[in-house]
Structures are given as structure tokens and as C-alpha cells.
Amino acid sequence: MAPITAYTLMHRDEFERTGKWSLARRSLGLRSFGMNVVELQPGEQIPEHDETGRDQEEVFIVLSGSPTMVVDGEELPAPAGTFLRLDPEPRRTIVNKSDEPASILLTSA
């Protein structure tokens, strides 16, 4: 992990990784909000969840690909450039039903 100074400059290829997740929050030393990048191959998805236990608002930002956001069972197409803001309560997941990889930035506070 890079030392915490007045700023931290890193390329996403330098982030600590666990599976398909790039741990931006940990790698950058963030303390005020969460931020991670997930890479989903065709057919993959993240676990369905809500944020009521942590009382966090989330924003999903599709960086590349065309995954499907699923909010309380409703499927929402999400091509690159899509932003989705969520209150803590809705159940959510991201599913990559396309034939190409997808990269999504998840932020929470």
C-alpha cells in the first residue's frame, strides 16, 4: 500500500486485488467513503445485497461493458457511462449477461 500523504496517485493496475475486485479504498488509504472496482466476465455477478446494516448510500458507475443492474428484482440495462445511485434499502446486484467483460466502480458512504 502506498504511504498516505497529502495525495495518493496510483494506476488501477497497482491496486491490491482479491479475486475479481480491485481494492481502491484500501490501496488509496481512503477513510471517508468506500470505493472498489469489480471486473465481471460474461456470466459473472456480484452477490445480491443491501446496505441497511451499514446505512450506506451506493453509486455504481459502469466503466466498460454492458452489464445489467438488478434492483429489487428489476433488471436495468447499464451500458458503459451509466451511473446508478441507491438508497441503503433496495436489494442489488450486477450481472454480466453480455458477451464481453464489464468493469464497474462501486462507491459508498
Side-chain angles (χ1 to χ4, degrees):
M1 180 159 72
I4 297 175
T5 60
Y7 69 90
T8 304
L9 175 67
M10 296 180 77
H11 187 276
R12 96 188 221 189
D13 291 343
E14 298 174 288
F15 290 164
E16 181 181 338
R17 292 193 55 88
T18 181
K20 57 187 152 212
W21 292 89
S22 294
L23 305 179
R25 178 182 190 158
R26 183 178 300 168
S27 298
L28 292 168
L30 297 175
R31 296 173 294 219
S32 300
F33 61 94
M35 180 172 73
N36 291 304
V37 178
V38 64
E39 306 283 342
L40 296 177
Q41 295 302 313
E44 290 185 330
Q45 70 181 65
I46 66 168
E48 184 179 48
H49 67 286
D50 63 41
E51 291 294 336
T52 54
R54 294 189 283 186
D55 193 31
Q56 291 186 348
E57 183 176 45
E58 280 189 313
V59 176
F60 294 179
I61 304 160
V62 180
L63 303 175
S64 65
S66 294
T68 301
M69 305 291 189
V70 182
V71 180
D72 284 339
E74 180 181 358
E75 295 191 1
L76 308 167
T82 299
F83 287 65
L84 172 65
R85 187 207 59 82
L86 293 149
D87 286 338
E89 297 80 16
R91 302 277 306 159
R92 79 278 319 252
T93 186
I94 307 165
V95 181
N96 188 358
K97 295 183 177 186
S98 76
D99 294 332
E100 60 185 42
S103 180
I104 303 97
L105 172 66
L106 288 77
T107 62
S108 60

